[in-house]
Amino acid sequence: MEALDYHAEERRKAEFDVEEMKIVWAGSRQAYEISDRVARLVASDPVFRKDNRTMLSRKDLFKDTLRKAAHAWKRIIELRLSEEEASKLRFFVDQPVFTDLHWGMFIPAIKGQGNEEQQQKWLPMAYKMQIIGCYAQTELGHGSNVQGLETTATFDPETDEFVIHSPTLTSSKWWPGGLGKVSTHALIYARLITDGQDHGVHGFIVQLRSLDDHLPLPGITVGDIGMKFGSGAYNSMDNGVLRFDHVRILRDQMLMGVSQVTREGKFMQSDVPRQLVYGTMVYVRQKIVADASCALSRAVCIATRYSVVRRQFGSHNGGPETQVIDYKTQQSRLFPLLASAYAFRFVGEWLKWLYTDVTQRLQASDFSTLPEVHACTAGLKSVTTSATADAIEECRKLCGGHGYLSSSGLPELFAVYVPACTYEGDNVVLLLQVARFLMKTVSQLGSGKKPVGTIAYMGRSEHLLQCRCEVERAEDWLKPNVILEAFEARAARMSVTCAKNLNNFANQEEGFAQLATDLAEAAVAHVQLIIVSKFIEKLQQDIPGKGVKRQLEILFNVYALSLLHKHLGDFVASGCITPKQGALANEQLRLLYSQVHFDNPSLLLYMVLLLERLLQSTSF
Ligand SMILES: CCCCC/C=C\C/C=C\C/C=C\CCCCC(=O)SCCNC(=O)CCNC(=O)[C@H](O)C(C)(C)COP(=O)(O)OP(=O)(O)OC[C@H]1O[C@@H](n2cnc3c(N)ncnc32)[C@H](O)[C@@H]1OP(=O)(O)O
Ligand SMILES: Cc1cc2nc3c(=O)[nH]c(=O)nc-3n(C[C@H](O)[C@H](O)[C@H](O)COP(=O)(O)OP(=O)(O)OC[C@H]3O[C@@H](n4cnc5c(N)ncnc54)[C@H](O)[C@@H]3O)c2cc1C
């Protein structure tokens, strides 16, 4: 049976309302309708074709990308698309391009760190793309260590200007997307110096190229940093290098929403946390989490499609060979990835709410949730991108030799996706930020300060440090409260153990350095607990549609129990569960795989259909 006939057949047999499941995935009926409409628009427009991009030279690929970006902008204007529709269209164009950074970082940084006057001056030009901006923070010598950046912005009270300078080779800005060829302006992060005093890293808007002939302005040396991983992939983006030779800018080109420099050259740190200078990174990290579920779902679609159609071995009396989806090993590798796509989708929805909430609080000078938002965005960005990068590679391997063909779509998807483990914060560095937040919370237990939000479970650590999971039969692992308590106990015990071991060192810094690996693992346990708990919260909502909630419950159990199986060492070593209970979880997982496959083949195929229009616009 051909794949498409099979799909149609399976849809007819669906155990659940596929249309309602589409809405669950999209987040709302409106979001689904926008996504569906824009996906069709992109898939039906020959200018947006993607099946040739791995065969183009870097120069032709870049020209192709610019052509697509210009065409996208033209269609956005012609069709009067909303900001949400425009963002979707850029997403479905699905090729790293300078507009990612213009819309994704340059504009949000001005909105988040600029004062009212600066927003009124720069945003209208940016929205009309009369200026094109990039986010130039990373340098050749420093990326993770933002406080180590070397570019300087020295205030000259004589002329009421800042002098932007690259004092060393390692201070060269290196990596910013859109910098190499396209951007006319950059948001530069540099050391603010007034009257000889260094006030740390702040943001400055600097024009790089002429708006008349696009040539670099005096004192500016700028270019592209060359080919990156893979052939097509990220090579459609002009990541660049930039050096300053005493470039002068007006004082009002320092973003003054977080701190200011007066006409007299006096540095004024307003009463907001200096970390708001990092606000744009926090914003992008929360978007990257939602993006992980999209990238993961695409890989799972391809691998599911293949697994359902591909047959190998098992022919009896000349009959058809076995579908590879029937092999338990194929199921145990693929189904947790399908479940992870939904898990990341739902935690991404929640994280978007958390970010919106903190943005509103900041406007009321309420900084109380900032530490938690930093820990959640950093941790979820790290865990979801690492898992997704690994999953795309796993999906390639699930497709045999065909997974290695460009036309499968998987190599390109992998090559474009994997830098997500590095950009917007190296994943290990971000886990250590989460660990810092966890250790601070543990140190405050007993101080009377009650842990709240995603760390509230630490307030029950006395119970969690000694509880025993109530699991005697495999089906006991189907109870959300049993799973939740196991994940809470594992996270609490790993954090408390780290905190105790830190006390064996002369100081916190030394302890942190020596125990960094344990601390990173404790951070992963905490973040996985957040993902599990948000999936449970999603299932507690009213979910319409025949059988939809039932399918999601199956996926939740697959996600949680496959994680438990993968990290069984943590759970058993921390005493949360016994080896026998671990074996029962694995037994339950096997039963669940059969449910996902035999009772609900349409759930799998639904994922295949989920972004089918998008897949059709690739060559696979
Ligand atoms: C752009 C597209 C948008 C859509 C996205 C969708 C999909 C993605 C698709 C495509 C993406 C396209 C392009 C990719 C763009 C990539 C762009 C970049 O990569 S930009 C550069 C990114 N760089 C980084 O992320 C740097 C990482 N390093 C840091 O963030 C910091 O250096 C640090 C590791 C956090 C350390 O900072 P610092 O030394 O200043 O602070 P500490 O001393 O460690 O901690 C002090 C204190 O501050 C708290 N804190 C730290 N950061 C924050 C924060 N962001 N918010 C709030 N609080 C913070 C920290 O917890 C400490 O608190 P305490 O313990 O209480 O003292
Ligand atoms: C495709 C892509 C696009 C990018 N776009 C932009 C952009 O638009 N704008 C921008 O400003 N930047 C951009 N970047 C840069 C990116 O943000 C940095 O690469 C990233 O922050 C990591 O910094 P680094 O490369 O200097 O590595 P480092 O910070 O030097 O880290 C190197 C490695 O050392 C280890 N390490 C470092 N510190 C620690 C620690 N404290 N503990 C344990 N291990 C540690 C980690 O393994 C890390 O991977 C982009 C990068 C890529 C790959």
Side-chain angles (χ1 to χ4, degrees):
M1 177 188 284
E2 278 304 307
L4 287 176
D5 301 347
Y6 187 94
H7 296 168
E9 175 60 21
E10 285 312 319
R11 247 191 303 196
R12 270 194 292 282
K13 288 186 331 188
E15 299 290 314
F16 62 96
D17 184 329
V18 174
E19 295 309 309
E20 285 296 338
M21 182 68 90
K22 289 179 184 177
I23 289 161
V24 167
W25 177 265
S28 69
R29 186 175 298 279
Q30 188 207 358
Y32 168 70
E33 287 166 357
I34 288 174
S35 196
D36 187 57
R37 184 165 66 247
V38 175
R40 293 174 191 275
L41 179 74
V42 171
S44 62
D45 188 328
V47 174
F48 293 133
R49 67 176 286 208
K50 291 182 278 191
D51 55 347
N52 63 342
R53 69 182 179 196
T54 54
M55 278 85 85
L56 298 174
S57 69
R58 173 91 197 277
K59 191 172 181 180
D60 290 341
L61 174 64
F62 189 65
K63 285 179 181 175
D64 173 60
T65 305
L66 292 182
R67 192 167 33 253
K68 282 175 179 156
H71 185 63
W73 184 238
K74 179 169 167 283
R75 297 297 283 150
I76 289 168
I77 304 289
E78 283 170 352
L79 300 172
R80 300 174 186 277
L81 297 187
S82 68
E83 195 168 322
E84 186 180 1
E85 290 167 325
S87 174
K88 270 291 172 201
L89 189 143
R90 285 192 284 268
F91 167 75
F92 279 127
V93 169
D94 184 37
Q95 203 155 312
V97 61
F98 67 90
T99 46
D100 293 345
L101 284 306
H102 176 77
W103 295 99
M105 295 199 83
F106 181 72
I107 287 175
I110 295 170
K111 288 167 74 174
Q113 299 161 48
N115 62 24
E116 199 55 42
E117 296 78 14
Q118 290 170 324
Q119 292 185 43
Q120 285 167 10
K121 173 180 178 183
W122 295 101
L123 290 179
M125 291 186 284
Y127 280 129
K128 292 177 194 150
M129 295 191 83
Q130 289 166 339
I131 63 172
I132 295 174
C134 63
Y135 184 91
Q137 175 179 294
T138 303
E139 295 175 354
L140 197 54
H142 293 92
S144 299
N145 179 9
V146 177
Q147 288 310 315
L149 295 177
E150 298 175 85
T151 301
T152 55
T154 307
F155 183 65
D156 179 352
E158 296 296 312
T159 61
D160 197 21
E161 294 170 319
F162 288 106
V163 178
I164 309 292
H165 184 58
S166 305
T168 59
L169 176 66
T170 48
S171 67
S172 307
K173 290 300 177 185
W174 187 269
W175 270 115
L179 173 63
K181 296 282 182 192
V182 181
S183 292
T184 61
H185 289 69
L187 193 58
I188 302 294
Y189 283 81
R191 313 202 68 78
L192 167 64
I193 297 169
T194 66
D195 193 20
Q197 195 178 353
D198 183 329
H199 302 287
V201 172
H202 294 265
F204 301 82
I205 298 180
V206 184
Q207 184 170 349
L208 308 176
R209 294 181 168 95
S210 158
L211 296 184
D212 299 322
D213 58 17
H214 203 62
L215 291 175
L217 296 176
I220 301 276
T221 304
V222 63
D224 188 273
I225 62 172
M227 284 292 278
K228 289 152 290 215
F229 188 98
S231 51
Y234 228 91
N235 290 301
S236 56
M237 176 76 82
D238 54 326
N239 299 91
V241 53
L242 166 65
R243 285 182 59 75
F244 298 99
D245 180 3
H246 300 94
V247 173
R248 287 180 171 269
I249 63 172
L250 299 177
R251 177 165 55 88
D252 77 355
Q253 289 178 236
M254 169 184 162
L255 291 186
M256 302 266 197
V258 177
S259 44
Q260 301 79 34
V261 170
T262 66
R263 174 63 191 87
E264 297 70 36
K266 185 174 173 6
F267 174 67
M268 310 280 284
Q269 171 71 46
S270 46
D271 57 356
V272 298
R274 74 168 172 84
Q275 286 79 14
L276 288 187
V277 168
Y278 296 165
T280 308
M281 293 186 278
V282 175
Y283 163 73
V284 177
R285 287 168 191 158
Q286 63 93 19
K287 288 184 75 74
I288 286 173
V289 173
D291 183 65
S293 68
C294 293
L296 177 50
S297 65
R298 294 182 64 184
V300 167
C301 285
I302 296 169
T304 303
R305 214 186 165 99
Y306 173 90
S307 302
V308 157
V309 172
R310 183 71 171 177
R311 290 175 178 274
Q312 201 69 197
F313 295 113
S315 164
H316 301 294
N317 311 321
E321 292 182 68
T322 302
Q323 286 172 281
V324 295
I325 193 76
D326 289 347
Y327 292 119
K328 284 297 178 192
T329 49
Q330 196 84 353
Q331 294 170 18
S332 66
R333 293 160 64 195
L334 178 60
F335 295 171
L337 306 186
L338 168 63
S340 299
Y342 277 82
F344 295 173
R345 194 81 182 163
F346 298 148
V347 78
E349 276 177 10
W350 168 78
L351 193 62
K352 184 178 177 183
W353 167 84
L354 184 72
Y355 182 79
T356 306
D357 177 71
V358 77
T359 306
Q360 289 161 354
R361 288 170 181 264
L362 294 179
Q363 282 157 6
S365 298
D366 171 0
F367 309 115
S368 60
T369 61
L370 205 54
E372 179 181 30
V373 172
H374 171 47
C376 286
T377 48
L380 285 165
K381 182 271 181 188
S382 177
V383 166
T384 57
T385 55
S386 291
T388 298
D390 292 348
I392 297 170
E393 166 59 1
E394 189 63 21
C395 286
R396 180 192 68 78
K397 290 186 281 191
L398 282 160
C399 296
H402 296 344
Y404 195 63
L405 277 172
S406 272
S407 58
S408 76
L410 286 166
E412 181 76 353
L413 180 59
F414 181 79
V416 168
Y417 190 78
V418 290
C421 298
T422 306
Y423 62 56
E424 225 49 80
D426 166 77
N427 280 355
V428 168
V429 169
L430 294 182
L431 285 179
L432 294 173
Q433 285 290 306
V434 177
R436 181 168 174 155
F437 171 72
L438 292 170
M439 292 306 104
K440 189 167 187 177
T441 303
V442 173
S443 71
Q444 293 170 347
L445 294 178
S447 68
K449 185 178 178 193
K450 192 165 175 286
V452 294
T454 53
I455 198 79
Y457 68 95
M458 283 294 193
R460 291 181 279 110
S461 57
E462 239 177 85
H463 161 71
L464 291 171
L465 294 182
Q466 58 196 344
C467 68
R468 286 282 174 273
C469 271
E470 292 171 22
V471 168
E472 288 164 13
R473 302 163 305 154
E475 52 267 38
D476 290 340
W477 279 118
L478 296 178
K479 299 170 190 166
N481 61 310
V482 169
I483 288 177
L484 185 61
E485 183 168 74
F487 274 79
E488 286 181 339
R490 168 209 181 198
R493 294 181 194 200
M494 290 177 76
S495 280
V496 168
T497 301
C498 283
K500 283 179 182 157
N501 292 342
L502 280 172
N503 294 330
N504 300 332
F505 292 88
N507 58 62
Q508 177 93 346
E509 193 173 342
E510 171 63 13
F512 232 83
Q514 294 302 319
L515 296 176
T517 304
D518 300 357
L519 286 159
E521 288 169 0
V524 168
H526 171 70
V527 174
Q528 288 177 341
L529 165 60
I530 294 174
I531 299 172
V532 164
S533 67
K534 296 310 169 188
F535 206 146
I536 291 173
E537 287 176 19
K538 182 70 179 182
L539 294 173
Q540 289 165 343
Q541 293 174 14
D542 175 31
I543 299 176
K546 178 189 75 131
V548 171
K549 186 164 188 170
R550 177 74 195 112
Q551 304 306 325
L552 294 175
E553 285 166 349
I554 293 170
L555 287 176
F556 164 71
N557 284 310
V558 168
Y559 177 72
L561 295 182
S562 58
L563 265 194
L564 188 148
H565 180 66
K566 182 177 178 183
H567 296 276
L568 193 56
D570 287 350
F571 286 91
V572 173
S574 55
C576 309
I577 68 173
T578 64
K580 168 70 177 157
Q581 289 172 327
L584 289 172
N586 201 29
E587 181 187 326
Q588 183 54 54
L589 207 43
R590 280 197 298 276
L591 296 171
L592 284 163
Y593 291 154
S594 304
Q595 274 187 291
V596 173
H597 177 39
F598 293 107
D599 304 352
N600 303 279
S602 44
L603 179 57
L604 277 178
L605 290 167
Y606 167 66
M607 282 300 295
V608 176
L609 303 176
L610 181 72
L611 289 173
E612 187 150 49
R613 272 179 296 288
L614 195 64
L615 290 174
Q616 279 166 351
S617 65
T618 58
S619 52
F620 182 63

